[in-house]
């Protein structure tokens, strides 16, 4: 009798724990939201929004959302002889600079999406084809692809699999 009571109690306990355990095991990784402020680059507001949307539709572990306060990523515009750049830790923090001259030559959404790619952790790969976002200006001014390919999206997915944790890399300036 006491044994049966024990078993019943154990089953009840397991039933109570199981939903929580199952929920934890099957839940998708938490989405990390990177808030950005594009007010410093008013000429490129539309392109920045489109570039962010291209990333948002390609990855799920990190999403970019505009915010006027508390943003970790900001966009600015101006002239720099070396062109556009990203000052970033590669993990959602930093400043993206859009160069006017470059914006007249290259696809603007490709530029903003590319620089955003740096803020999400991707390096340049100029040797790549137009279908690669991080080939940047490599394929020339006729390239209008502004979306990451599946390899680039997978890379960002894995970089953000554990959320907003430091990658141990300080902020660096990546031109181009
Ligand atoms: Zn680049």
């Amino acid at each position: 009798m006491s044994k049966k009571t024990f078993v019943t109690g154990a089953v009840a306990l397991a039933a109570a724990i199981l939903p929580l355990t199952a929920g934890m095991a099957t839940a998708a990784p938490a989405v990390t939201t990177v808030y950005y402020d594009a007010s410093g680059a008013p000429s490129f507001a539309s392109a920045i929004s489109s570039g962010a949307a291209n990333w948002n539709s390609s990855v799920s572990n990190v999403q970019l959302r505009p915010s006027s306060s508390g943003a970790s990523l900001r966009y600015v515009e101006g002239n720099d002889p070396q062109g556009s750049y990203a000052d970033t830790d590669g993990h959602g923090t930093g400043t993206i600079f859009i160069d006017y001259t470059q914006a007249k030559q290259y696809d603007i959404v490709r530029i903003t999406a590319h620089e955003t790619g740096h803020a999400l952790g991707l390096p340049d790969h100029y040797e790549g084809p137009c279908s690669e976002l991080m080939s940047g200006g490599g394929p020339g001014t006729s390239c209008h692809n502004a979306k990451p390919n599946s390899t680039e999206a997978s890379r960002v997915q894995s970089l953000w699999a554990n959320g907003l944790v430091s990658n141990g890399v300080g902020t660096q300036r990546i031109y181009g």
Side-chain angles (χ1 to χ4, degrees), residues 114-115 118 124 126 134 174-176:
H114 172 98
E115 297 302 332
H118 287 311
D124 282 315
Y126 296 129
M134 300 316 288
I174 305 169
Y175 271 106

Side-chain angles (χ1 to χ4, degrees), residues 25 41 60 67 74 110 133 138 142 144 159 161:
S60 58
S67 176
R74 61 191 202 101
R110 181 169 167 85
L133 183 59
S142 64
H144 295 287
L159 287 171

Side-chain angles (χ1 to χ4, degrees), residues 27-45:
V31 179
T32 302
T33 302
V34 170
Y35 293 99
Y36 70 87
D37 182 350
S39 63
S43 307
F44 307 114

Side-chain angles (χ1 to χ4, degrees), residues 85-90 93-95 118 167 169-175:
Y85 60 76
D87 274 337
T88 182
D89 66 347
T93 297
T95 301
H118 287 311
N167 56 7
V169 178
T171 297
Q172 353 178 18
R173 178 164 298 186
I174 305 169
Y175 271 106

